[in-house]
Amino acid sequence: MKANKIALIIYFTTCFLATLACIFDNETLMLVSRPIIIPALFFYYFVTSKKLNYLLISVLGLYFIVDGIGLMNFENEIKYIMAPFFIANILVTILCLKNIEKFKFKVFTVASLLFLALILGYLWITIIELFNTYDANIQNQVIIFGASLFLQSFIIGYKIIHKITFSNLSVMMFGTLILISDLFYLMYNFEYQSIILNSTHFGSQMVSYFFLVQFEILNNKQHQIIS
């Protein structure tokens, strides 16, 4: 069996085990499985891609930090994870902007982008409203973080609206899962303490990592074919 397949098996197995640990609130299983997820995915990327992208490696490093913070069960954990997630959002946006297709004025494209901007704007406002009762410092942090998430999602949306490729479909899956994860995380922590919300947020976040790596791998292959 090839090394990349072994790495993927380890990645998806640990994702499954970590999600089970989240559902059943099993700290031991979480401690055993969650720290392996990012290293397994990095190894898959390392043995699959002929050319490493240090932007992507930095994003994976930031996600590893977030996962480590999540294992420590800090009170008001959002204060600690917002900064690395914000930086990761900016880096993913830069990753998507590299070799982005030039804008061409088409009625469908413009209408689709406006519709996407309205949906993302509504979600951004909804997130901000959840923190109306918090101090101004937290509110400002949430506004800035929401802006980075809005920008990341909009650029991803532009890529898939402009051209449907396997690499763009992969990054679309990543963006969708990250949005679901962030929204469900906020709903779980600030609205409804539901196992379904928590496990969906957690599982979506873990699986999203794969689609981001797959986006970069497929993007490289596409450029090699074109060149």
Side-chain angles (χ1 to χ4, degrees), residues 25-70:
D25 196 22
N26 189 315
E27 291 187 8
T28 303
L29 184 57
M30 184 68 78
L31 286 169
V32 170
S33 57
R34 190 169 183 177
I36 301 173
I37 292 173
I38 292 293
L41 190 58
F42 172 76
F43 184 68
Y44 165 73
Y45 174 60
F46 180 78
V47 298
T48 304
S49 182
K50 293 182 179 179
K51 184 179 179 181
L52 298 182
N53 188 320
Y54 290 101
L55 268 179
L56 177 62
I57 293 172
S58 299
V59 172
L60 292 178
L62 289 165
Y63 288 153
F64 186 72
I65 291 171
V66 169
D67 287 351
I69 294 171

mmCIF file of all heavy atoms in Angstrom, residues 25-70:
data_model
loop_
_atom_site.group_PDB
_atom_site.id
_atom_site.type_symbol
_atom_site.label_atom_id
_atom_site.label_comp_id
_atom_site.label_asym_id
_atom_site.label_seq_id
_atom_site.Cartn_x
_atom_site.Cartn_y
_atom_site.Cartn_z
ATOM 1 N N ASP A 25 -18.268 12.675 24.574
ATOM 2 C CA ASP A 25 -17.508 13.436 25.564
ATOM 3 C C ASP A 25 -16.455 12.560 26.239
ATOM 4 O O ASP A 25 -16.325 12.524 27.463
ATOM 5 C CB ASP A 25 -18.464 14.016 26.616
ATOM 6 C CG ASP A 25 -17.804 15.125 27.420
ATOM 7 O OD1 ASP A 25 -16.813 15.717 26.931
ATOM 8 O OD2 ASP A 25 -18.255 15.394 28.554
ATOM 9 N N ASN A 26 -15.695 11.847 25.410
ATOM 10 C CA ASN A 26 -14.655 10.950 25.895
ATOM 11 C C ASN A 26 -13.298 11.641 25.754
ATOM 12 O O ASN A 26 -12.727 11.710 24.660
ATOM 13 C CB ASN A 26 -14.685 9.645 25.088
ATOM 14 C CG ASN A 26 -13.771 8.577 25.664
ATOM 15 O OD1 ASN A 26 -12.635 8.840 26.018
ATOM 16 N ND2 ASN A 26 -14.289 7.355 25.748
ATOM 17 N N GLU A 27 -12.768 12.160 26.842
ATOM 18 C CA GLU A 27 -11.526 12.934 26.801
ATOM 19 C C GLU A 27 -10.328 12.083 26.421
ATOM 20 O O GLU A 27 -9.430 12.545 25.705
ATOM 21 C CB GLU A 27 -11.283 13.595 28.166
ATOM 22 C CG GLU A 27 -12.265 14.708 28.491
ATOM 23 C CD GLU A 27 -11.892 15.443 29.765
ATOM 24 O OE1 GLU A 27 -10.791 15.173 30.300
ATOM 25 O OE2 GLU A 27 -12.686 16.289 30.216
ATOM 26 N N THR A 28 -10.301 10.828 26.883
ATOM 27 C CA THR A 28 -9.168 9.946 26.585
ATOM 28 C C THR A 28 -9.063 9.685 25.085
ATOM 29 O O THR A 28 -7.985 9.795 24.493
ATOM 30 C CB THR A 28 -9.306 8.608 27.330
ATOM 31 O OG1 THR A 28 -9.405 8.860 28.731
ATOM 32 C CG2 THR A 28 -8.109 7.703 27.057
ATOM 33 N N LEU A 29 -10.192 9.325 24.469
ATOM 34 C CA LEU A 29 -10.208 9.068 23.031
ATOM 35 C C LEU A 29 -9.862 10.331 22.248
ATOM 36 O O LEU A 29 -9.169 10.269 21.225
ATOM 37 C CB LEU A 29 -11.588 8.546 22.609
ATOM 38 C CG LEU A 29 -11.745 8.133 21.141
ATOM 39 C CD1 LEU A 29 -10.740 7.065 20.758
ATOM 40 C CD2 LEU A 29 -13.172 7.650 20.874
ATOM 41 N N MET A 30 -10.307 11.478 22.733
ATOM 42 C CA MET A 30 -9.994 12.739 22.070
ATOM 43 C C MET A 30 -8.498 13.040 22.131
ATOM 44 O O MET A 30 -7.884 13.446 21.136
ATOM 45 C CB MET A 30 -10.781 13.886 22.715
ATOM 46 C CG MET A 30 -10.589 15.231 22.038
ATOM 47 S SD MET A 30 -11.292 15.304 20.374
ATOM 48 C CE MET A 30 -13.037 15.509 20.754
ATOM 49 N N LEU A 31 -7.897 12.815 23.292
ATOM 50 C CA LEU A 31 -6.471 13.066 23.460
ATOM 51 C C LEU A 31 -5.624 12.140 22.597
ATOM 52 O O LEU A 31 -4.534 12.518 22.145
ATOM 53 C CB LEU A 31 -6.079 12.895 24.933
ATOM 54 C CG LEU A 31 -6.500 14.015 25.895
ATOM 55 C CD1 LEU A 31 -6.286 13.605 27.335
ATOM 56 C CD2 LEU A 31 -5.722 15.297 25.589
ATOM 57 N N VAL A 32 -6.122 10.934 22.349
ATOM 58 C CA VAL A 32 -5.385 9.954 21.546
ATOM 59 C C VAL A 32 -5.510 10.248 20.056
ATOM 60 O O VAL A 32 -4.540 10.096 19.301
ATOM 61 C CB VAL A 32 -5.890 8.524 21.848
ATOM 62 C CG1 VAL A 32 -5.316 7.515 20.859
ATOM 63 C CG2 VAL A 32 -5.523 8.115 23.270
ATOM 64 N N SER A 33 -6.698 10.678 19.630
ATOM 65 C CA SER A 33 -6.978 10.800 18.197
ATOM 66 C C SER A 33 -6.725 12.192 17.612
ATOM 67 O O SER A 33 -6.113 12.330 16.537
ATOM 68 C CB SER A 33 -8.429 10.393 17.911
ATOM 69 O OG SER A 33 -9.337 11.177 18.669
ATOM 70 N N ARG A 34 -7.161 13.237 18.276
ATOM 71 C CA ARG A 34 -7.135 14.573 17.671
ATOM 72 C C ARG A 34 -5.729 15.082 17.317
ATOM 73 O O ARG A 34 -5.548 15.681 16.239
ATOM 74 C CB ARG A 34 -7.834 15.578 18.584
ATOM 75 C CG ARG A 34 -8.063 16.945 17.919
ATOM 76 C CD ARG A 34 -8.981 17.815 18.745
ATOM 77 N NE ARG A 34 -9.244 19.090 18.076
ATOM 78 C CZ ARG A 34 -10.062 20.027 18.549
ATOM 79 N NH1 ARG A 34 -10.707 19.822 19.681
ATOM 80 N NH2 ARG A 34 -10.245 21.155 17.878
ATOM 81 N N PRO A 35 -4.706 14.851 18.161
ATOM 82 C CA PRO A 35 -3.368 15.361 17.804
ATOM 83 C C PRO A 35 -2.759 14.697 16.567
ATOM 84 O O PRO A 35 -1.778 15.209 16.011
ATOM 85 C CB PRO A 35 -2.533 15.029 19.055
ATOM 86 C CG PRO A 35 -3.523 14.863 20.159
ATOM 87 C CD PRO A 35 -4.738 14.275 19.511
ATOM 88 N N ILE A 36 -3.323 13.573 16.121
ATOM 89 C CA ILE A 36 -2.763 12.851 14.974
ATOM 90 C C ILE A 36 -3.326 13.365 13.654
ATOM 91 O O ILE A 36 -2.730 13.181 12.591
ATOM 92 C CB ILE A 36 -3.050 11.330 15.117
ATOM 93 C CG1 ILE A 36 -2.437 10.807 16.421
ATOM 94 C CG2 ILE A 36 -2.489 10.540 13.940
ATOM 95 C CD1 ILE A 36 -2.810 9.364 16.731
ATOM 96 N N ILE A 37 -4.478 14.037 13.696
ATOM 97 C CA ILE A 37 -5.207 14.400 12.472
ATOM 98 C C ILE A 37 -4.375 15.264 11.533
ATOM 99 O O ILE A 37 -4.180 14.922 10.360
ATOM 100 C CB ILE A 37 -6.530 15.106 12.840
ATOM 101 C CG1 ILE A 37 -7.486 14.104 13.500
ATOM 102 C CG2 ILE A 37 -7.178 15.726 11.606
ATOM 103 C CD1 ILE A 37 -8.756 14.725 14.059
ATOM 104 N N ILE A 38 -3.881 16.394 11.990
ATOM 105 C CA ILE A 38 -3.111 17.303 11.135
ATOM 106 C C ILE A 38 -1.782 16.678 10.687
ATOM 107 O O ILE A 38 -1.436 16.768 9.497
ATOM 108 C CB ILE A 38 -2.872 18.656 11.829
ATOM 109 C CG1 ILE A 38 -4.191 19.426 11.983
ATOM 110 C CG2 ILE A 38 -1.858 19.494 11.047
ATOM 111 C CD1 ILE A 38 -4.810 19.886 10.682
ATOM 112 N N PRO A 39 -0.999 16.046 11.586
ATOM 113 C CA PRO A 39 0.240 15.401 11.121
ATOM 114 C C PRO A 39 0.000 14.346 10.045
ATOM 115 O O PRO A 39 0.778 14.250 9.094
ATOM 116 C CB PRO A 39 0.801 14.768 12.399
ATOM 117 C CG PRO A 39 0.294 15.643 13.500
ATOM 118 C CD PRO A 39 -1.088 16.030 13.061
ATOM 119 N N ALA A 40 -1.080 13.561 10.175
ATOM 120 C CA ALA A 40 -1.391 12.549 9.162
ATOM 121 C C ALA A 40 -1.721 13.205 7.827
ATOM 122 O O ALA A 40 -1.289 12.742 6.762
ATOM 123 C CB ALA A 40 -2.560 11.679 9.629
ATOM 124 N N LEU A 41 -2.463 14.293 7.880
ATOM 125 C CA LEU A 41 -2.832 14.999 6.654
ATOM 126 C C LEU A 41 -1.615 15.678 6.029
ATOM 127 O O LEU A 41 -1.456 15.690 4.797
ATOM 128 C CB LEU A 41 -3.908 16.044 6.957
ATOM 129 C CG LEU A 41 -4.576 16.705 5.743
ATOM 130 C CD1 LEU A 41 -5.238 15.667 4.846
ATOM 131 C CD2 LEU A 41 -5.592 17.725 6.189
ATOM 132 N N PHE A 42 -0.744 16.224 6.869
ATOM 133 C CA PHE A 42 0.487 16.831 6.354
ATOM 134 C C PHE A 42 1.349 15.779 5.657
ATOM 135 O O PHE A 42 1.925 16.044 4.584
ATOM 136 C CB PHE A 42 1.285 17.492 7.468
ATOM 137 C CG PHE A 42 2.646 17.967 7.025
ATOM 138 C CD1 PHE A 42 2.771 19.125 6.271
ATOM 139 C CD2 PHE A 42 3.789 17.238 7.324
ATOM 140 C CE1 PHE A 42 4.019 19.554 5.829
ATOM 141 C CE2 PHE A 42 5.031 17.657 6.885
ATOM 142 C CZ PHE A 42 5.149 18.820 6.142
ATOM 143 N N PHE A 43 1.460 14.596 6.251
ATOM 144 C CA PHE A 43 2.249 13.523 5.632
ATOM 145 C C PHE A 43 1.650 13.131 4.281
ATOM 146 O O PHE A 43 2.382 12.897 3.314
ATOM 147 C CB PHE A 43 2.301 12.305 6.560
ATOM 148 C CG PHE A 43 3.176 11.198 6.039
ATOM 149 C CD1 PHE A 43 4.548 11.356 5.960
ATOM 150 C CD2 PHE A 43 2.611 10.005 5.613
ATOM 151 C CE1 PHE A 43 5.355 10.340 5.462
ATOM 152 C CE2 PHE A 43 3.409 8.983 5.103
ATOM 153 C CZ PHE A 43 4.789 9.154 5.028
ATOM 154 N N TYR A 44 0.310 13.082 4.211
ATOM 155 C CA TYR A 44 -0.361 12.797 2.935
ATOM 156 C C TYR A 44 0.012 13.851 1.898
ATOM 157 O O TYR A 44 0.339 13.522 0.747
ATOM 158 C CB TYR A 44 -1.871 12.763 3.146
ATOM 159 C CG TYR A 44 -2.675 12.824 1.861
ATOM 160 C CD1 TYR A 44 -2.737 11.726 1.004
ATOM 161 C CD2 TYR A 44 -3.372 13.987 1.506
ATOM 162 C CE1 TYR A 44 -3.468 11.795 -0.181
ATOM 163 C CE2 TYR A 44 -4.098 14.048 0.331
ATOM 164 C CZ TYR A 44 -4.144 12.957 -0.500
ATOM 165 O OH TYR A 44 -4.862 13.021 -1.683
ATOM 166 N N TYR A 45 -0.022 15.118 2.290
ATOM 167 C CA TYR A 45 0.332 16.208 1.380
ATOM 168 C C TYR A 45 1.798 16.109 0.970
ATOM 169 O O TYR A 45 2.148 16.292 -0.200
ATOM 170 C CB TYR A 45 0.054 17.547 2.058
ATOM 171 C CG TYR A 45 0.509 18.754 1.277
ATOM 172 C CD1 TYR A 45 0.004 19.011 -0.004
ATOM 173 C CD2 TYR A 45 1.436 19.644 1.817
ATOM 174 C CE1 TYR A 45 0.422 20.129 -0.731
ATOM 175 C CE2 TYR A 45 1.849 20.757 1.099
ATOM 176 C CZ TYR A 45 1.344 20.990 -0.163
ATOM 177 O OH TYR A 45 1.757 22.080 -0.878
ATOM 178 N N PHE A 46 2.653 15.807 1.925
ATOM 179 C CA PHE A 46 4.100 15.746 1.687
ATOM 180 C C PHE A 46 4.462 14.669 0.667
ATOM 181 O O PHE A 46 5.298 14.902 -0.210
ATOM 182 C CB PHE A 46 4.823 15.470 3.017
ATOM 183 C CG PHE A 46 6.316 15.395 2.892
ATOM 184 C CD1 PHE A 46 7.075 16.555 2.786
ATOM 185 C CD2 PHE A 46 6.962 14.164 2.869
ATOM 186 C CE1 PHE A 46 8.465 16.484 2.666
ATOM 187 C CE2 PHE A 46 8.338 14.092 2.746
ATOM 188 C CZ PHE A 46 9.094 15.258 2.645
ATOM 189 N N VAL A 47 3.836 13.493 0.771
ATOM 190 C CA VAL A 47 4.194 12.385 -0.133
ATOM 191 C C VAL A 47 3.427 12.446 -1.455
ATOM 192 O O VAL A 47 3.780 11.740 -2.403
ATOM 193 C CB VAL A 47 3.956 11.005 0.538
ATOM 194 C CG1 VAL A 47 4.829 10.858 1.770
ATOM 195 C CG2 VAL A 47 2.483 10.807 0.899
ATOM 196 N N THR A 48 2.361 13.262 -1.516
ATOM 197 C CA THR A 48 1.546 13.337 -2.739
ATOM 198 C C THR A 48 1.959 14.481 -3.645
ATOM 199 O O THR A 48 1.972 14.341 -4.871
ATOM 200 C CB THR A 48 0.051 13.501 -2.376
ATOM 201 O OG1 THR A 48 -0.349 12.433 -1.523
ATOM 202 C CG2 THR A 48 -0.820 13.471 -3.630
ATOM 203 N N SER A 49 2.291 15.616 -3.056
ATOM 204 C CA SER A 49 2.601 16.809 -3.844
ATOM 205 C C SER A 49 4.093 16.860 -4.167
ATOM 206 O O SER A 49 4.947 16.636 -3.295
ATOM 207 C CB SER A 49 2.191 18.063 -3.084
ATOM 208 O OG SER A 49 2.434 19.213 -3.838
ATOM 209 N N LYS A 50 4.414 17.164 -5.413
ATOM 210 C CA LYS A 50 5.807 17.278 -5.827
ATOM 211 C C LYS A 50 6.413 18.611 -5.397
ATOM 212 O O LYS A 50 7.627 18.736 -5.255
ATOM 213 C CB LYS A 50 5.909 17.125 -7.352
ATOM 214 C CG LYS A 50 5.541 15.733 -7.847
ATOM 215 C CD LYS A 50 5.698 15.626 -9.353
ATOM 216 C CE LYS A 50 5.353 14.219 -9.828
ATOM 217 N NZ LYS A 50 5.477 14.097 -11.315
ATOM 218 N N LYS A 51 5.561 19.615 -5.227
ATOM 219 C CA LYS A 51 6.031 20.937 -4.818
ATOM 220 C C LYS A 51 5.209 21.407 -3.632
ATOM 221 O O LYS A 51 3.992 21.539 -3.721
ATOM 222 C CB LYS A 51 5.899 21.927 -5.981
ATOM 223 C CG LYS A 51 6.450 23.312 -5.678
ATOM 224 C CD LYS A 51 6.296 24.226 -6.887
ATOM 225 C CE LYS A 51 6.823 25.623 -6.597
ATOM 226 N NZ LYS A 51 6.661 26.539 -7.761
ATOM 227 N N LEU A 52 5.866 21.656 -2.501
ATOM 228 C CA LEU A 52 5.165 22.057 -1.289
ATOM 229 C C LEU A 52 4.883 23.551 -1.300
ATOM 230 O O LEU A 52 5.720 24.353 -1.713
ATOM 231 C CB LEU A 52 5.990 21.691 -0.053
ATOM 232 C CG LEU A 52 6.275 20.198 0.166
ATOM 233 C CD1 LEU A 52 7.069 20.001 1.451
ATOM 234 C CD2 LEU A 52 4.984 19.397 0.230
ATOM 235 N N ASN A 53 3.698 23.908 -0.840
ATOM 236 C CA ASN A 53 3.290 25.303 -0.724
ATOM 237 C C ASN A 53 3.356 25.685 0.756
ATOM 238 O O ASN A 53 2.615 25.153 1.580
ATOM 239 C CB ASN A 53 1.865 25.475 -1.266
ATOM 240 C CG ASN A 53 1.451 26.929 -1.346
ATOM 241 O OD1 ASN A 53 1.749 27.723 -0.464
ATOM 242 N ND2 ASN A 53 0.742 27.278 -2.408
ATOM 243 N N TYR A 54 4.258 26.628 1.064
ATOM 244 C CA TYR A 54 4.472 26.972 2.468
ATOM 245 C C TYR A 54 3.308 27.772 3.054
ATOM 246 O O TYR A 54 3.153 27.821 4.280
ATOM 247 C CB TYR A 54 5.795 27.716 2.627
ATOM 248 C CG TYR A 54 6.986 26.812 2.390
ATOM 249 C CD1 TYR A 54 7.662 26.832 1.178
ATOM 250 C CD2 TYR A 54 7.389 25.903 3.361
ATOM 251 C CE1 TYR A 54 8.730 25.971 0.944
ATOM 252 C CE2 TYR A 54 8.450 25.038 3.149
ATOM 253 C CZ TYR A 54 9.119 25.077 1.932
ATOM 254 O OH TYR A 54 10.164 24.223 1.708
ATOM 255 N N LEU A 55 2.502 28.383 2.206
ATOM 256 C CA LEU A 55 1.274 29.013 2.701
ATOM 257 C C LEU A 55 0.340 27.960 3.282
ATOM 258 O O LEU A 55 -0.209 28.119 4.370
ATOM 259 C CB LEU A 55 0.571 29.751 1.558
ATOM 260 C CG LEU A 55 0.883 31.227 1.338
ATOM 261 C CD1 LEU A 55 0.099 31.743 0.143
ATOM 262 C CD2 LEU A 55 0.577 32.050 2.579
ATOM 263 N N LEU A 56 0.164 26.875 2.532
ATOM 264 C CA LEU A 56 -0.700 25.792 3.001
ATOM 265 C C LEU A 56 -0.132 25.152 4.263
ATOM 266 O O LEU A 56 -0.879 24.850 5.207
ATOM 267 C CB LEU A 56 -0.866 24.739 1.907
ATOM 268 C CG LEU A 56 -1.693 23.499 2.297
ATOM 269 C CD1 LEU A 56 -3.125 23.892 2.647
ATOM 270 C CD2 LEU A 56 -1.681 22.469 1.182
ATOM 271 N N ILE A 57 1.173 24.942 4.289
ATOM 272 C CA ILE A 57 1.809 24.353 5.476
ATOM 273 C C ILE A 57 1.583 25.246 6.694
ATOM 274 O O ILE A 57 1.312 24.768 7.806
ATOM 275 C CB ILE A 57 3.317 24.135 5.230
ATOM 276 C CG1 ILE A 57 3.519 23.057 4.157
ATOM 277 C CG2 ILE A 57 4.027 23.743 6.521
ATOM 278 C CD1 ILE A 57 4.951 22.899 3.698
ATOM 279 N N SER A 58 1.654 26.573 6.484
ATOM 280 C CA SER A 58 1.403 27.514 7.584
ATOM 281 C C SER A 58 -0.037 27.412 8.082
ATOM 282 O O SER A 58 -0.296 27.460 9.289
ATOM 283 C CB SER A 58 1.686 28.946 7.126
ATOM 284 O OG SER A 58 3.029 29.098 6.740
ATOM 285 N N VAL A 59 -0.987 27.255 7.139
ATOM 286 C CA VAL A 59 -2.401 27.120 7.511
ATOM 287 C C VAL A 59 -2.594 25.843 8.329
ATOM 288 O O VAL A 59 -3.282 25.861 9.368
ATOM 289 C CB VAL A 59 -3.304 27.090 6.255
ATOM 290 C CG1 VAL A 59 -4.737 26.760 6.640
ATOM 291 C CG2 VAL A 59 -3.259 28.431 5.545
ATOM 292 N N LEU A 60 -1.998 24.753 7.885
ATOM 293 C CA LEU A 60 -2.106 23.491 8.638
ATOM 294 C C LEU A 60 -1.498 23.641 10.028
ATOM 295 O O LEU A 60 -2.030 23.094 11.006
ATOM 296 C CB LEU A 60 -1.418 22.361 7.870
ATOM 297 C CG LEU A 60 -2.074 21.914 6.557
ATOM 298 C CD1 LEU A 60 -1.246 20.821 5.886
ATOM 299 C CD2 LEU A 60 -3.496 21.431 6.792
ATOM 300 N N GLY A 61 -0.396 24.382 10.116
ATOM 301 C CA GLY A 61 0.216 24.633 11.420
ATOM 302 C C GLY A 61 -0.710 25.406 12.344
ATOM 303 O O GLY A 61 -0.822 25.098 13.544
ATOM 304 N N LEU A 62 -1.403 26.386 11.802
ATOM 305 C CA LEU A 62 -2.353 27.171 12.593
ATOM 306 C C LEU A 62 -3.530 26.308 13.047
ATOM 307 O O LEU A 62 -3.994 26.426 14.191
ATOM 308 C CB LEU A 62 -2.849 28.365 11.780
ATOM 309 C CG LEU A 62 -1.812 29.479 11.551
ATOM 310 C CD1 LEU A 62 -2.270 30.418 10.444
ATOM 311 C CD2 LEU A 62 -1.580 30.268 12.843
ATOM 312 N N TYR A 63 -4.014 25.444 12.155
ATOM 313 C CA TYR A 63 -5.098 24.542 12.536
ATOM 314 C C TYR A 63 -4.641 23.561 13.624
ATOM 315 O O TYR A 63 -5.433 23.181 14.501
ATOM 316 C CB TYR A 63 -5.608 23.768 11.323
ATOM 317 C CG TYR A 63 -6.416 24.611 10.353
ATOM 318 C CD1 TYR A 63 -6.476 24.287 9.000
ATOM 319 C CD2 TYR A 63 -7.115 25.732 10.768
ATOM 320 C CE1 TYR A 63 -7.221 25.052 8.108
ATOM 321 C CE2 TYR A 63 -7.845 26.508 9.894
ATOM 322 C CZ TYR A 63 -7.892 26.163 8.557
ATOM 323 O OH TYR A 63 -8.617 26.927 7.676
ATOM 324 N N PHE A 64 -3.381 23.155 13.561
ATOM 325 C CA PHE A 64 -2.829 22.272 14.594
ATOM 326 C C PHE A 64 -2.811 22.979 15.941
ATOM 327 O O PHE A 64 -3.108 22.379 16.984
ATOM 328 C CB PHE A 64 -1.420 21.826 14.196
ATOM 329 C CG PHE A 64 -0.816 20.808 15.129
ATOM 330 C CD1 PHE A 64 -1.285 19.505 15.135
ATOM 331 C CD2 PHE A 64 0.205 21.160 15.991
ATOM 332 C CE1 PHE A 64 -0.735 18.557 15.999
ATOM 333 C CE2 PHE A 64 0.762 20.228 16.855
ATOM 334 C CZ PHE A 64 0.293 18.919 16.856
ATOM 335 N N ILE A 65 -2.468 24.274 15.918
ATOM 336 C CA ILE A 65 -2.491 25.075 17.153
ATOM 337 C C ILE A 65 -3.910 25.165 17.698
ATOM 338 O O ILE A 65 -4.136 25.011 18.909
ATOM 339 C CB ILE A 65 -1.927 26.485 16.880
ATOM 340 C CG1 ILE A 65 -0.427 26.413 16.592
ATOM 341 C CG2 ILE A 65 -2.198 27.425 18.066
ATOM 342 C CD1 ILE A 65 0.176 27.719 16.106
ATOM 343 N N VAL A 66 -4.882 25.407 16.817
ATOM 344 C CA VAL A 66 -6.289 25.484 17.237
ATOM 345 C C VAL A 66 -6.729 24.167 17.864
ATOM 346 O O VAL A 66 -7.403 24.156 18.906
ATOM 347 C CB VAL A 66 -7.191 25.830 16.033
ATOM 348 C CG1 VAL A 66 -8.669 25.656 16.398
ATOM 349 C CG2 VAL A 66 -6.946 27.257 15.569
ATOM 350 N N ASP A 67 -6.350 23.044 17.236
ATOM 351 C CA ASP A 67 -6.711 21.738 17.788
ATOM 352 C C ASP A 67 -6.073 21.529 19.161
ATOM 353 O O ASP A 67 -6.688 20.947 20.062
ATOM 354 C CB ASP A 67 -6.271 20.621 16.832
ATOM 355 C CG ASP A 67 -7.143 20.543 15.587
ATOM 356 O OD1 ASP A 67 -8.186 21.231 15.557
ATOM 357 O OD2 ASP A 67 -6.789 19.795 14.661
ATOM 358 N N GLY A 68 -4.843 21.999 19.315
ATOM 359 C CA GLY A 68 -4.171 21.885 20.614
ATOM 360 C C GLY A 68 -4.875 22.698 21.681
ATOM 361 O O GLY A 68 -5.045 22.237 22.821
ATOM 362 N N ILE A 69 -5.296 23.908 21.327
ATOM 363 C CA ILE A 69 -6.046 24.749 22.270
ATOM 364 C C ILE A 69 -7.354 24.064 22.652
ATOM 365 O O ILE A 69 -7.775 24.097 23.813
ATOM 366 C CB ILE A 69 -6.311 26.135 21.659
ATOM 367 C CG1 ILE A 69 -4.994 26.900 21.473
ATOM 368 C CG2 ILE A 69 -7.269 26.954 22.539
ATOM 369 C CD1 ILE A 69 -5.121 28.189 20.688
ATOM 370 N N GLY A 70 -7.999 23.433 21.647
ATOM 371 C CA GLY A 70 -9.266 22.753 21.902
ATOM 372 C C GLY A 70 -9.129 21.623 22.899
ATOM 373 O O GLY A 70 -10.080 21.303 23.633
#
